Amino acid sequence: MRVSVFDGPVAGVVLPVSALRSKESCGIGEFADLIPFADFCEKAGFRLIQLLPVNDTGTESSPYSALSAFALHPLYLRIQDLPEAKKFSAEIKALAMKHEKAGRFDYREIRNDKLQLLRKIYDACERDVKKSADDGSLAAWISENPWVVDYAVFMNLKYYNFEASWKSWDKMRTPTHAEIQARWDNPAHRSGHLFYAWLQMRLHEQFSAAAEYCRHKNIALKGDIPIMMNEDSCDIWANPEFFRSDLRAGSPPDGPNPTGQNWGFPIYNWDNLEDVDFSWWKERLKSAAQYYDAFRIDHILGFFRIWSVPDGELTGALGWTMPHQGITTQELAAAGFSGDRLRWITQPHVPTRDIEAVNNYDYLGTHGLLHKVMDRIGDEELWLFKPSVRHDSDIRAADLPDPVKDELCRKWRDRVLLVSGRDDSAEPEYSPVWTYYNSTAWNTLSPEEKNALEKLFREKRAAEEPLWKAQAEKLLGMIAACVPEMIPCGEDLGDVPRCVPEVMRDLSIYGLKVIRWEREWDKDGQPFVDIRRYPEKSVATTSVHDSSTFRAWWEKEGGGEAFCATFFSEEKRTVNPEEYTPETAAAVLSFLAETSASLFILPVQDWLDLDAGLAAGDPEKERINIPGSVSAFNWTYRLPVSVEELKKNKTLCTAIHKICTHRDSK
């Protein structure tokens, strides 16, 4: 049964499964918690629940760093609901008592504790599981889900390698598909493999039951499909032909990230994927369709063009878009750049004095250090990096003081062009560095030289747009057509190429409108775009998992003043632009619910602001993730109360229901 909620305006809520808290959960949200949460949503008037990714991420807490594109996270299993767990009630109760009272959960500790208990339960029922794998329900499930063979073999090897990356294993680092199958068939490893297959079958059963309950309540489930895979994943290990390990995905420099972002995920080899009719992607989507009525395509811009960074670079600064149009040496020569002049704009030239300044002004000592990684240009006090220095990781690995490394890494990025073709080619191709206009070399060029280069840059960018459009039409067309029963939505944030809105519109893919960022940036005061001008096929929201909450933005980032300046005139202002009270939240969210976007889906924290008793004193404590940081804080948010308590909260349910009803009436 599929839900019928998409026939009109929809109000919904988004959160990670891990954030759920119920009377039955053990310190972290579980799939079964979606059942009482759906009861709350029904009472509050929500018609959609959006979840962050739910795949197994191993030791990584980020749901966007999956070990498998198919396997569900064992943390989301309700242990006491397992038919094999009846004799383990004392251990389950102890697990809950240890973790349930925590405000935010300790990801690694609860994962270790939960997996240890699950292994204990499996050991006690192993004979029955093996019988089921021979001719019972587990055998049938494995047959219907052949991906579990790669996953189980991978995870069992990972377990015996103390969860180290497959790149450091002594055996099976680069197995063939036949070798993986042979290991799965080996009786000596059968017990370890079936543990993971059994877990995945039980997870599927519980998630399916929760999804069906939501549909019974006519509440849609929306999933999240991360675009990239963790390098230390089963999929890259088992199917390396689908990925390019020489390039990493990321994003170019921007205000919050002056050196860009390097996510560390290999980019796709789309040619090889197309050779097998994109079967891996199609199976991934069909797997998701078992649970979801709609799905979010993470970083949809990456299907048009992905920011690619050479493996070995530690930042995202020296990258380029893929696909791209490189600039040839002949084109540069025609523009007046060859020989030393070409070298000047493509290789960093480092003055001795700049390194002396961070090395205690020790002239001789600085020369000695520079000789380790650089070659001097004749008798000049000017240096070039040695050919052996291919990436900034080579600088970091050199025997140099940290201040010198830091400065040399900055110099490494100081260039106008970088090689974006094969750097061992006799005729390399070049692309402009994203921040070329800030480089030392650029600022020494004559106006004529700058004009010649910028003309080349414009021509190449114009030639790239059709490439990006054609690639997206092929890839997103495949994705949209693969599972027509699911509504596709795209996270189209960032530096958006001109062709993106057209392609998404033609394929009926819903765009994302983050209200605080939907502004007319080129106008005085940067007013917000009228929420009634959003495309109907779009998703409007107040915050995302990588941003501050709406209350934090309102109170700490000047959001309230900016919002009121556009949407609430002085004579009509009934809200406080400096303090985000429940009354202000009710007025603001009721107004925003009038958006013309058909989907109005807010993070659960932004809905909880309607009740002062549920809001944290410091809204920063309610964040899900702080991009660019690695800490025990990220991805460990939990609801402040149980979902059963939310359902009983008349203040909250009434306030949300009023907004949802107001939206339905528009």
Side-chain angles (χ1 to χ4, degrees):
M1 181 184 75
R2 288 288 169 179
V3 298
S4 58
V5 304
F6 298 109
D7 53 358
V10 174
V13 59
V14 56
L15 76 170
V17 169
S18 57
L20 292 168
R21 186 194 296 262
S22 77
K23 293 180 179 179
E24 299 295 325
S25 57
C26 289
I28 192 170
E30 299 164 343
F31 288 133
D33 291 330
L34 287 167
I35 293 175
F37 189 67
D39 292 336
F40 158 70
C41 290
E42 180 185 42
K43 186 173 181 181
F46 293 138
R47 295 201 291 163
L48 182 145
I49 300 170
Q50 178 178 330
L51 303 175
L52 268 58
V54 295
N55 300 93
D56 187 1
T57 59
T59 58
E60 298 294 325
S61 61
S62 170
Y64 294 92
S65 189
L67 287 182
S68 168
F70 302 91
L72 300 172
H73 207 308
L75 275 177
Y76 303 151
L77 192 68
R78 172 66 51 79
I79 298 181
Q80 59 266 42
D81 288 353
L82 293 173
E84 300 90 351
K86 294 178 181 178
K87 297 181 181 179
F88 293 85
S89 57
E91 289 91 337
I92 296 169
K93 184 177 180 180
L95 179 67
M97 290 181 65
K98 179 179 179 180
H99 294 285
E100 190 52 38
K101 292 183 180 180
R104 297 180 82 99
F105 58 86
D106 185 318
Y107 176 85
R108 295 205 174 192
E109 184 176 10
I110 196 168
R111 176 179 178 269
N112 290 339
D113 289 349
K114 204 161 187 177
L115 283 175
Q116 284 181 12
L117 180 52
L118 285 167
R119 284 188 177 278
K120 188 174 181 180
I121 294 170
Y122 173 76
D123 289 343
C125 68
E126 184 178 347
R127 180 178 299 179
D128 291 337
V129 172
K130 287 182 176 179
K131 184 177 180 180
S132 179
D134 288 333
D135 55 10
S137 58
L138 183 55
W141 189 85
I142 293 171
S143 178
E144 294 169 0
N145 297 272
W147 57 264
V148 81
V149 171
D150 289 347
Y151 171 75
V153 172
F154 175 80
M155 292 301 291
N156 198 45
L157 282 164
K158 201 167 183 60
Y159 176 73
Y160 283 107
N161 281 277
F162 304 100
E163 302 202 275
S165 166
W166 59 265
K167 287 191 169 186
S168 67
W169 297 351
D170 292 333
K171 302 177 181 177
M172 296 288 285
R173 283 199 301 271
T174 56
T176 64
H177 294 288
E179 288 171 334
I180 294 174
Q181 185 64 48
R183 191 171 180 90
W184 166 266
D185 293 333
N186 189 332
H189 305 300
R190 189 165 187 250
S191 177
H193 295 157
L194 290 182
F195 169 68
Y196 295 101
W198 167 73
L199 273 184
Q200 288 302 313
M201 182 182 72
R202 294 303 188 210
L203 282 159
H204 167 72
E205 291 169 348
Q206 292 189 7
F207 195 16
S208 296
E212 188 58 35
Y213 187 84
C214 290
R215 293 184 184 122
H216 175 71
K217 295 285 185 178
N218 202 35
I219 295 173
L221 268 189
K222 180 183 175 185
D224 194 330
I225 310 294
I227 179 174
M228 309 308 300
M229 295 301 304
N230 188 330
E231 183 176 34
D232 186 27
S233 69
C234 159
D235 300 86
I236 293 177
W237 171 77
N239 302 288
E241 66 274 17
F242 295 157
F243 302 87
R244 286 193 56 175
S245 60
D246 60 322
L247 293 173
R248 296 291 186 268
S251 61
D254 57 21
N257 303 285
T259 59
Q261 295 182 51
N262 184 336
W263 302 331
F265 302 146
I267 69 170
Y268 289 105
N269 188 322
W270 289 118
D271 290 338
N272 286 356
L273 280 160
E274 187 173 12
D275 287 343
V276 294
D277 195 28
F278 302 107
S279 58
W280 181 85
W281 263 100
K282 289 179 178 179
E283 290 304 316
R284 187 181 186 190
L285 293 163
K286 290 175 183 176
S287 177
Q290 298 175 97
Y291 317 110
Y292 302 126
D293 307 287
F295 65 105
R296 170 189 180 272
I297 306 171
D298 174 49
H299 191 55
I300 198 170
L301 303 185
F303 291 93
F304 292 80
R305 84 289 182 268
I306 196 77
W307 186 251
S308 305
V309 183
D311 181 31
E313 287 296 318
L314 301 176
T315 74
L318 297 185
W320 59 88
T321 58
M322 287 285 288
H324 78 296
Q325 281 282 332
I327 302 172
T328 67
T329 53
Q330 292 86 351
E331 289 171 320
L332 288 167
F337 294 92
S338 60
D340 289 348
R341 206 65 186 143
L342 177 61
R343 190 189 71 187
W344 176 244
I345 62 172
T346 59
Q347 295 187 47
H349 290 60
V350 181
T352 307
R353 64 178 180 273
D354 290 357
I355 308 306
E356 276 187 274
V358 296
N359 191 44
N360 301 315
Y361 294 95
D362 179 357
Y363 175 80
L364 292 178
T366 297
H367 271 246
L369 294 174
L370 288 176
H371 275 295
K372 294 182 179 182
V373 293
M374 308 196 80
D375 292 321
R376 191 176 177 184
I377 302 175
D379 295 330
E380 296 183 70
E381 293 295 344
L382 204 59
W383 303 74
L384 297 174
F385 285 98
K386 291 179 181 292
S388 59
V389 178
R390 298 170 61 87
H391 309 293
D392 59 358
S393 58
D394 298 323
I395 300 172
R396 291 293 177 189
D399 182 20
L400 299 168
D402 286 342
V404 172
K405 289 182 182 180
D406 293 342
E407 185 62 22
L408 287 177
C409 283
R410 281 192 285 272
K411 297 297 186 184
W412 177 253
R413 299 188 290 269
D414 184 14
R415 61 184 86 187
V416 176
L417 299 174
L418 75 160
V419 175
S420 55
R422 296 191 307 273
D423 53 3
D424 59 348
S425 169
E427 293 294 335
E429 291 185 345
Y430 298 90
S431 289
V433 173
W434 191 263
T435 54
Y436 68 88
Y437 46 83
N438 288 329
S439 66
T440 299
W442 180 262
N443 290 315
T444 67
L445 301 183
S446 69
E448 293 76 17
E449 289 175 316
K450 290 181 179 179
N451 288 337
L453 285 176
E454 288 185 323
K455 182 175 181 291
L456 268 178
F457 298 167
R458 287 193 299 270
E459 290 173 352
K460 296 300 179 179
R461 177 63 184 260
E464 286 174 339
E465 283 274 349
L467 297 178
W468 300 342
K469 182 180 180 183
Q471 175 170 285
E473 287 174 335
K474 178 192 298 182
L475 300 178
L476 294 175
M478 172 270 297
I479 287 173
C482 179
V483 281
E485 65 270 26
M486 286 200 296
I487 302 293
C489 305
E491 185 258 306
D492 51 345
L493 304 177
D495 181 43
V496 181
R498 290 190 302 272
C499 58
V500 171
E502 177 188 350
V503 172
M504 292 180 66
R505 182 177 62 250
D506 291 346
L507 295 175
S508 294
I509 299 174
Y510 290 49
L512 179 63
K513 302 297 179 184
V514 183
I515 293 162
R516 69 176 79 175
W517 297 327
E518 286 296 312
R519 302 172 75 163
E520 299 180 82
W521 296 103
D522 57 342
K523 291 187 178 181
D524 290 341
Q526 300 174 332
F528 292 87
V529 174
D530 187 344
I531 60 170
R532 300 175 186 86
R533 284 170 41 201
Y534 291 177
E536 179 183 355
K537 288 190 174 181
S538 63
V539 181
T541 189
T542 46
S543 313
V544 295
H545 57 262
D546 281 338
S547 77
S548 57
T549 64
F550 196 72
R551 180 162 62 101
W553 172 76
W554 186 279
E555 295 181 343
K556 296 190 172 187
E557 300 169 28
E561 289 288 352
F563 188 91
C564 290
T566 299
F567 293 123
F568 293 103
S569 61
E570 287 292 339
E571 58 271 19
K572 291 184 178 180
R573 183 179 295 181
T574 58
V575 300
N576 185 339
E578 297 179 357
E579 185 180 4
Y580 197 68
T581 64
E583 293 74 24
T584 294
V588 170
L589 298 187
S590 182
F591 166 74
L592 295 178
E594 297 178 10
T595 176
S596 53
S598 59
L599 303 183
F600 182 62
I601 308 172
L602 312 186
V604 67
Q605 305 97 306
D606 292 350
W607 286 114
L608 297 184
D609 285 331
L610 292 164
D611 182 349
L614 297 174
D618 181 359
E620 290 297 327
K621 294 182 179 179
E622 297 173 331
R623 283 192 71 141
I624 289 179
N625 180 51
I626 302 174
S629 68
V630 178
S631 70
F633 174 89
N634 287 342
W635 309 108
T636 61
Y637 169 77
R638 297 193 75 196
L639 292 175
V641 297
S642 70
V643 292
E644 292 89 354
E645 291 175 82
L646 289 181
K647 183 181 176 182
K648 295 178 181 178
N649 187 321
K650 292 182 179 179
T651 299
L652 180 66
C653 289
T654 299
I656 295 175
H657 198 279
K658 185 176 180 180
I659 293 169
C660 294
T661 303
H662 176 67
R663 174 167 172 76
D664 290 340
S665 67
K666 294 298 176 181

